[in-house]
Amino acid sequence: MITNLVTIAEQVGAPRIVPGRGIPYPSGDPNLSPQAEQAWRRRLVQRALDAVATAVEHPTIFEVDVVERADA
Amino acid sequence: MPALRRIVHEIHSLEISAATRYEQHHLVVGRSRVEALFADPALASVRVHIAAPGDPVRIIAPLDVVEPRSKGSGGGAFPGWMAPVNRQRGGDIHVLRGATVLAAGFLPRNQEGLIDMSGPAAQLSPFGRTNNIVIEFDRADGASWQEAEIALRRGLLRVAVHLADAAVDAAPDTIEELAPPHRPGTPTGGLPRVGVITNLQTQGAFKDVFVYGRSMAGSLPTLFDPAEIEEGAVISGQYGHPALRNPTYLHQNHPVIAELRARDGRDLHFAGVVLCPEPVEQGDKELVSTHAAWLCRAAGFDAAIVTKEGAGNADNDLMLKVDALEADGLTAVALYAEMSGADGTGPPLVAGPRRGAIVSTGNYDQRVTLPAVERALGGARLRIADAEATAAVEVPTAAILSALSPLGAGRLTCRSNEEQPVGQKSVAEQSVGQKSVDQQLVGQQSGGTA
Amino acid sequence: MRIVHYLNQFYAGLGGEETAGIGPRMLDGTVGPGRLLAQLLGDQHQIVATIVCGDNHAASNATASQELLDLARGAGAELVVAGPAFGSGRYGLACARLVAAADAAGLPALATMHPDNPGITDAGTAPVVAAGATAREMRPTLQRVAAAIAKLAAGATLTAGDGLVVKAARIGRLVEQRAAARAVELVLRRLAGDQQSTEVPVGGFDAVEPAAPVDKAASATVALVTEGAVVPAGNPDRLESARATRWLRYQIEGVDALASGEWESVAGGFATTAANADPNRLLPLDAARTLEREGAIGRLHGEFMVTVGNGTPVATARRFGVEWAAELRKAGVQAAILTAT
């Protein structure tokens, strides 16, 4: 789940949460240049793909900025 | 700075005629003057109507609602719109209590709601019980909706001052002195210092509230003089969820401030008002919430009542604030509307606080059956029900303007009934077959207090 | 009493996810949990047939419950028993819809599932007996069900004591004091030491059992779904802007990005300016397509599902979730990325 409202997502029990930057644009950021926004969106989706390939037991936040281990 | 005094003139009846004048409890609205006050390149025309309590009238798509107020010839009401921000503060403000001026009609980003002046919904909206001057409008060719909306807001405020001006020389019904909140450190004699945090929606065009004429978007929480709110420093330009809306009128008559004042010196010390934006980003919401809690502590609050505007997004702001206040050792109570489905068996909240306590302002989803009316203002069709505007319809409470008032204006709440099997008749079904929900609502009005 | 028992494909022994798409069918006598139930019922009541439907088929075909009901009637059912579905959403929804249809048609019916099963709200006026959360509680669940059947057969009404799922309805009503006055009252009570009083309970948290991870996204079929109300420009299918009663699906096969002017958001709960300038801000199709092309996603599912999460009751949203899961499973999708506003 990609959303800016992380606290609500946790509260409703969403297992895999990727924080976006704004409520009205979960998979974008209008404050960035078009190129930078494309890159940001790509990182968000990539992080979501990491998340669905990761076993979790309870609501887990997958921050985009976290550096991945090679095997994750 | 002199304290603010409300010079109250109670309005019991309205009439439209040639010239505006006020006679003992009766307000005559001068049609041509009111129309002229709406003159703006963005509006092709306006029409002035009256909707009084008990009238068989439905107001479709109500927009903002304003209480007529004026500070007399010196001006000063609605600072940032009708008066400079730096002006004489305090003194006397004339209030036409029981009257409103409101705009109604199609606006693309307005979530359509309604006000019924009779029947069960009249009891649920604060504006089903006021004498309303209703302005219908046509947008000018070539004007944007946003321009039309700004023109309507200016028009409403001009008319509000114009109407109250008519009563400036009349003998008032009552005069109400509004003492300022107690400063931090004032001996309280053991009484708790209680204040209010009011979140204002800040989501851009058609979803914004103005403080001194500007959006609070991007601001941090600020301690505010309640007298300024009385004078109209907070103006709504917010057209989301009708039942969860705080029109200007309800800021002018802020219910929580009024109730805190009512018990000031007896059960508590009124500690003040904090205004906050409702940001659109989680990080900003957290910053605003943490800062609001800090500000309340710095201002010596022992407890705060927290109010919002809007639905799920705004619930998140409430939740974060209550949790931040309680974590800082303050006592917090938030006003929430419930969203438990038409039969009331679903979870009541999407996002609630971990601590603190909640006052319920009713169930968003509960159906209300509205009888047919004779006349409709604001539109010929009720789009949400896909029906003629005057038809008998069943609508969710969500559609009735300010019926679930997040500022606490309404008398709705929810109570758990006896546990009933999932399988047995739902409330919605009961409303058809047996006693209707609205009868139940009305029938329970003296059903006790919380 | 002649009982017809409903099971999903798994409990009927017909297979797991791979057979979740099978349509309604009937098997003779007792199957799977039906055997234990028959044993617990003793000689007085007989399970005469077992009706079965795949979870995905049942959750995504509106006519499935009617077809199952016809099968039950054909077998001479005097009572339909559905489940136990435990916590399984699709199975719970199927059980709930079947007993609702039977009950509406005048045929007594009883479903059994966990009280938090998202399908439970579809049971309509039919009784639901509480099951445990998982199949580990099969025996105690079926003991309750057997006792409930005996009671129904005797003409008695079930109560909470029989395991009947009861939920308090929160009913709106007008009270003497306005909410602002009650808030002041409540704050004073709390300051005086009462930490319990509240008009709505606080601190409740939902729990969702996480799905197992996919092996590799690079070989998985991934779907995009959203509650951000992204629809073709002009909203041809009239998705609501608030209080959704339904969800929609749109084809994106061969579409590389959601172009501004061709797609828009009709959500009423937030400012849509940013989303309408670039709808990929609500549904990240462009990025997902690129990642698919580069091999990071095995395949992007050919349609997305959409509703509006603005003032939509939680119970409705849960049902949409179950239906989406069924649709996606049926289409062979292994993972979904939900963008939420």
Side-chain angles (χ1 to χ4, degrees):
Chain A
M1 177 180 195
I2 302 178
T3 185
N4 182 243
L5 292 176
V6 173
T7 41
I8 292 188
E10 284 180 297
Q11 210 176 76
V12 301
R16 299 173 175 91
I17 304 162
V18 179
R21 283 192 181 151
I23 295 167
Y25 37 85
S27 56
D29 183 353
N31 303 310
L32 300 176
S33 71
Q35 292 82 354
E37 188 178 5
Q38 289 285 344
W40 166 244
R41 180 150 51 243
R42 186 193 157 96
R43 298 217 316 266
L44 278 172
V45 176
Q46 263 175 328
R47 199 70 184 114
L49 296 173
D50 296 338
V52 299
T54 306
V56 299
E57 284 176 2
H58 44 74
T60 304
I61 295 168
F62 292 79
E63 291 279 358
V64 166
D65 296 329
V66 173
V67 177
E68 282 292 282
R69 294 196 315 273
D71 58 348
Chain B
M1 180 175 108
L4 187 70
R5 296 200 310 169
R6 287 191 204 116
I7 313 296
V8 178
H9 309 275
E10 286 178 11
I11 303 298
H12 298 163
S13 55
L14 298 175
E15 176 190 337
I16 297 176
S17 188
T20 299
R21 66 178 195 281
Y22 172 78
E23 297 156 5
Q24 205 58 20
H25 304 145
H26 181 67
L27 180 66
V28 181
V29 180
R31 183 190 301 276
S32 55
R33 187 67 205 281
V34 167
E35 286 173 357
L37 289 169
F38 275 93
D40 189 288
L43 296 174
S45 62
V46 299
R47 293 169 296 285
V48 186
H49 303 277
I50 281 171
D55 287 353
V57 170
R58 177 167 300 151
I59 303 169
I60 303 287
L63 302 174
D64 195 23
V65 187
V66 183
E67 182 174 58
R69 290 191 176 199
S70 168
K71 295 187 74 183
S73 54
F78 307 117
W81 295 97
M82 297 288 295
V85 168
N86 291 317
R87 71 205 189 286
Q88 176 63 49
R89 297 180 178 197
D92 289 354
I93 187 159
H94 292 265
V95 177
L96 301 191
R97 184 168 290 165
T100 82
V101 52
L102 67 91
F106 178 76
L107 192 67
R109 294 285 295 164
N110 174 46
Q111 246 173 277
E112 185 188 64
L114 61 87
I115 303 167
D116 267 9
M117 299 308 297
S118 51
Q123 304 223 31
L124 301 181
S125 172
F127 312 111
R129 302 187 297 272
T130 49
N131 290 284
N132 304 315
I133 297 143
V134 182
I135 309 295
E136 293 182 317
F137 61 95
D138 297 306
R139 180 176 59 137
D141 286 343
S144 70
W145 285 109
Q146 204 168 342
E147 287 164 340
E149 189 266 337
I150 293 168
L152 284 172
R153 182 160 57 245
R154 288 193 182 284
L156 287 177
L157 300 178
R158 287 191 197 115
V159 169
V161 173
H162 163 70
L163 295 174
D165 275 343
V168 163
D169 296 324
D173 293 293
T174 44
I175 295 178
E176 295 166 352
E177 304 258 359
L178 299 176
H182 302 277
R183 291 169 189 279
T186 311
T188 68
L191 296 177
R193 286 174 53 81
V194 185
V196 54
I197 298 176
T198 287
N199 298 337
L200 304 177
Q201 198 162 105
T202 45
Q203 289 193 38
F206 306 117
K207 287 196 160 283
D208 220 339
V209 181
F210 302 97
V211 178
Y212 289 120
R214 61 203 72 176
S215 169
M216 261 205 117
S219 303
L220 284 173
T222 184
L223 196 60
F224 218 80
D225 181 352
E228 297 288 278
I229 299 174
E230 287 279 338
E231 292 185 357
V234 179
I235 301 290
S236 173
Q238 204 292 109
Y239 304 103
H241 306 271
L244 298 176
R245 219 182 271 175
N246 300 326
T248 299
Y249 179 99
L250 292 180
H251 288 292
Q252 293 173 289
N253 292 281
H254 195 302
V256 176
I257 295 178
E259 298 295 343
L260 288 172
R261 284 192 192 284
R263 303 183 72 159
D264 184 36
R266 191 156 45 96
D267 303 310
L268 55 85
H269 262 203
F270 177 30
V273 183
V274 171
L275 295 183
C276 298
E278 284 175 356
V280 294
E281 298 191 16
Q282 177 75 14
D284 292 345
K285 285 181 187 294
E286 289 170 9
L287 170 63
V288 165
S289 299
T290 311
H291 190 77
W294 175 86
L295 185 58
C296 288
R297 239 159 57 111
F301 288 25
D302 296 314
I305 293 165
V306 194
T307 75
K308 63 152 182 171
E309 178 164 33
N313 173 8
D315 285 352
N316 193 31
D317 293 89
L318 274 189
M319 165 182 112
L320 291 168
K321 267 185 199 94
V322 168
D323 284 344
L325 287 162
E326 293 267 335
D328 266 7
L330 279 79
T331 295
V333 169
L335 280 79
Y336 270 90
E338 302 185 36
M339 301 173 110
S340 55
D343 67 359
T345 60
L349 303 181
V350 177
R354 288 155 213 256
R355 286 176 279 191
I358 294 171
V359 162
S360 164
T361 65
N363 178 8
Y364 184 90
D365 303 307
Q366 187 161 346
R367 299 292 195 272
V368 184
T369 307
L370 309 182
V373 292
E374 287 174 21
R375 209 154 54 89
L377 300 173
R381 286 196 72 75
L382 185 63
R383 288 156 200 262
I384 46 164
D386 192 21
E388 290 291 318
T390 53
V393 287
E394 192 187 84
V395 297
T397 307
I400 300 165
L401 188 65
S402 303
L404 305 161
S405 168
L407 290 175
R411 293 188 294 114
L412 270 178
T413 187
C414 292
R415 302 271 172 80
S416 291
N417 66 353
E418 290 155 41
E419 304 229 314
Q420 58 175 326
V422 170
Q424 306 226 335
K425 276 192 189 260
S426 72
V427 180
E429 286 164 321
Q430 284 175 12
S431 79
V432 181
Q434 309 170 12
K435 192 159 95 170
S436 76
V437 172
D438 36 82
Q439 279 170 338
Q440 195 171 345
L441 289 169
V442 174
Q444 293 288 344
Q445 60 181 289
S446 54
T449 56
Chain C
M1 223 175 189
R2 290 172 64 83
I3 296 168
V4 171
H5 187 202
Y6 174 74
L7 294 171
N8 73 352
Q9 84 285 353
F10 177 76
Y11 285 101
L14 301 179
E17 279 305 326
E18 71 285 358
T19 52
I22 63 170
R25 62 198 58 199
M26 185 151 65
L27 308 172
D28 287 336
T30 55
V31 178
R35 300 212 175 94
L36 177 56
L37 180 60
Q39 208 184 320
L40 293 166
L41 284 168
D43 295 337
Q44 282 204 305
H45 309 290
Q46 240 199 326
I47 298 177
V48 295
T50 301
I51 50 177
V52 183
C53 186
D55 277 340
N56 292 336
H57 186 92
S60 58
N61 284 279
T63 56
S65 54
Q66 191 57 46
E67 289 168 38
L68 288 165
L69 178 57
D70 291 343
L71 288 175
R73 278 212 170 115
E78 293 168 326
L79 175 72
V80 173
V81 175
F86 304 106
S88 159
R90 287 173 293 165
Y91 188 14
L93 191 63
C95 290
R97 285 180 177 168
L98 172 59
V99 295
D103 192 71
L107 175 61
L110 168 74
T112 174
M113 67 188 77
H114 190 267
D116 289 342
N117 190 306
I120 202 165
T121 46
D122 278 36
T125 55
V128 179
V129 169
T134 67
R136 280 196 295 275
E137 293 175 69
M138 181 66 87
R139 178 172 279 275
T141 298
L142 290 181
Q143 283 167 336
R144 261 197 305 279
V145 172
I149 290 169
K151 205 167 168 188
L152 283 177
T157 317
L158 300 180
T159 67
D162 303 312
L164 186 70
V165 178
V166 294
K167 280 202 177 167
R170 294 186 57 83
I171 305 298
R173 53 195 49 183
L174 288 164
V175 291
E176 198 74 9
Q177 282 186 301
R178 61 178 177 171
R182 301 192 325 260
V184 174
E185 197 72 52
L186 188 52
V187 102
L188 291 174
R189 208 176 301 155
R190 295 196 74 226
L191 284 163
D194 172 0
Q195 294 297 306
Q196 300 308 313
S197 290
T198 181
E199 291 187 10
V200 183
V202 297
F205 290 88
D206 263 7
V208 176
E209 197 185 330
V214 299
D215 271 350
K216 267 200 194 108
S219 50
T221 300
V222 176
L224 301 180
V225 296
T226 185
E227 53 73 80
V230 185
V231 295
N235 193 16
D237 304 303
R238 310 270 311 260
L239 180 65
E240 299 101 332
S241 64
R243 302 188 302 274
T245 58
R246 63 215 179 93
W247 54 269
L248 299 168
R249 65 175 97 207
Y250 289 106
Q251 290 299 318
I252 45 170
E253 203 82 70
V255 182
D256 282 344
L258 297 183
S260 175
E262 289 177 30
W263 299 86
E264 63 175 345
S265 171
V266 295
F270 58 87
T272 50
T273 329
N276 291 343
D278 180 359
N280 300 286
R281 288 171 175 158
L282 281 182
L283 191 88
L285 179 60
D286 57 356
R289 202 54 95 189
T290 309
L291 288 164
E292 180 190 33
R293 210 168 287 132
E294 293 172 2
I297 293 176
R299 194 177 78 81
L300 199 57
H301 183 45
E303 60 184 24
F304 73 89
M305 283 149 184
V306 57
T307 187
V308 64
N310 178 30
T312 303
V314 175
T316 307
R318 280 186 177 159
R319 180 162 55 79
F320 291 172
V322 172
E323 291 171 351
W324 285 7
E327 291 289 337
L328 295 174
R329 292 257 193 193
K330 196 165 69 175
V333 173
Q334 284 105 33
I337 298 175
L338 166 67
T339 33
T341 54

